[in-house]
Amino acid sequence: MSENPAGGPDGVGQVTDGTDGTDGTDGTDSTDSTDSADGADIGGEADDGRVQGAVGCLLAIAGIAAAGVFALPRAAYSIDGGFEAHARDWSVILVELPLILLAGLLVPPVTWAAATRWLRPWAAFLVCAAVVALGLWGISAVWHPRQGPDPGYGPGI
């Protein structure tokens, strides 16, 4: 490349490749094979970025599915409300479940993005799995929505 692209012989602001076309060619060098190798490397890196982005999206879907499978059965009584909906808990329906599902949507891909900066993809996946497991464990330790009465009491007369 020319030393100063803005002041090159082709005009202001144009970047040249260093050939002026005076050697009888059209300015391209057919013996330079680095263009094809660089192009393949750049394409590979772009594909790797797309693959990592796709894995992040799949982890988001898996995370929201795992959070839903974990949280919805626990909150079923609060959603249904039991007999005549006397135990319906709107805080579970409007606040807690959406936050749990949002965490399931956001935590795995954010963990994946952070972990792939320093770790190999397989290790980053293990870190994501560990973070999701710890998150679900934390939810089970702290979140106790209202449950139905003891199943030993039958439906009555």
Side-chain angles (χ1 to χ4, degrees):
M1 299 191 90
S2 63
E3 292 295 319
N4 186 359
D10 293 338
V12 178
Q14 294 182 353
V15 178
T16 61
D17 61 355
T19 58
D20 58 359
T22 58
D23 58 349
T25 62
D26 60 351
T28 60
D29 187 10
S30 62
T31 61
D32 188 16
S33 63
T34 59
D35 291 338
S36 63
D38 289 343
D41 289 341
I42 292 172
E45 291 172 5
D47 290 340
D48 188 39
R50 280 187 238 145
V51 169
Q52 286 188 2
V55 170
C57 291
L58 290 175
L59 284 172
I61 293 168
I64 198 166
V69 165
F70 179 78
L72 288 174
R74 291 177 60 123
Y77 188 74
S78 296
I79 294 170
D80 180 38
F83 179 69
E84 294 181 353
H86 77 282
R88 182 169 289 151
D89 189 358
W90 289 100
S91 68
V92 170
I93 298 168
L94 297 176
V95 178
E96 295 169 3
L97 275 178
L99 286 177
I100 290 171
L101 294 176
L102 182 67
L105 178 71
L106 296 179
V107 168
V110 169
T111 305
W112 171 259
T116 53
R117 290 190 170 268
W118 294 286
L119 302 173
R120 294 190 183 272
W122 63 268
F125 184 77
L126 292 177
V127 169
C128 285
V131 167
V132 168
L134 286 173
L136 292 176
W137 173 77
I139 290 171
S140 69
V142 175
W143 185 56
H144 302 288
R146 180 184 288 215
Q147 299 298 313
D150 185 21
Y153 294 123
I157 298 179

